[in-house]
Amino acid sequence: MFRISVFVLRILWFLMKILTKKSFCIEEIRPQFPDCIAHRKMGDSERKYRIEFEFRSSNFKAHLHDSGKCDVIVCWHHDWPDVPKGVEVVELKRYFGVSRKVWIQQA
């Protein structure tokens, strides 16, 4: 049986709230790349988005992910100034009003 911790569920809940604010509708969260499949309404049309979760945006490059197969990187800290064109970055710490580096640790 697959079990998930309460901490992970809280992080996922928070993530869903942020993505919903950015007009995303989550279809699937999965263990393989990309981590999430979502849809976003833009006017009268709807588009599918492939989303990857990373602690730092630069981890996307370090993990050798294919930017052609990802539309959005959701991270805590955006530290990759050369993000490939066409890949949107959502930096979560901005929603906390945090401008410095902090650690997220399970209590």
Side-chain angles (χ1 to χ4, degrees):
M1 174 185 231
F2 179 73
R3 293 176 47 104
I4 191 163
S5 72
V6 172
F7 176 72
V8 170
L9 288 173
R10 288 179 184 152
I11 295 296
L12 287 173
W13 177 84
F14 176 71
L15 176 66
M16 299 285 240
K17 296 290 275 180
I18 298 299
L19 290 177
T20 300
K21 281 185 178 183
K22 298 190 75 54
S23 303
F24 285 100
C25 180
I26 306 299
E27 178 182 311
E28 178 183 11
I29 294 179
R30 57 199 199 164
Q32 74 268 23
F33 175 80
D35 295 319
C36 177
I37 303 298
H39 296 270
R40 182 190 246 176
K41 278 195 165 194
M42 302 294 255
D44 292 335
S45 64
E46 186 173 276
R47 181 178 160 220
K48 181 179 176 178
Y49 284 81
R50 299 158 300 177
I51 302 171
E52 182 66 12
F53 306 135
E54 298 287 357
F55 180 71
R56 290 184 180 88
S57 56
S58 63
N59 288 351
F60 185 92
K61 183 178 180 180
H63 297 158
L64 304 176
H65 291 311
D66 181 354
S67 63
K69 296 180 180 177
C70 181
D71 305 298
V72 181
I73 299 170
V74 175
C75 61
W76 177 256
H77 179 66
H78 181 26
D79 64 344
W80 188 18
D82 300 326
V83 173
K85 192 173 186 171
V87 176
E88 178 182 350
V89 176
V90 176
E91 185 179 40
L92 295 176
K93 74 178 182 183
R94 291 179 183 265
Y95 293 90
F96 282 98
V98 177
S99 59
R100 56 181 162 61
K101 293 183 181 178
V102 297
W103 290 98
I104 300 175
Q105 185 171 343
Q106 185 173 356

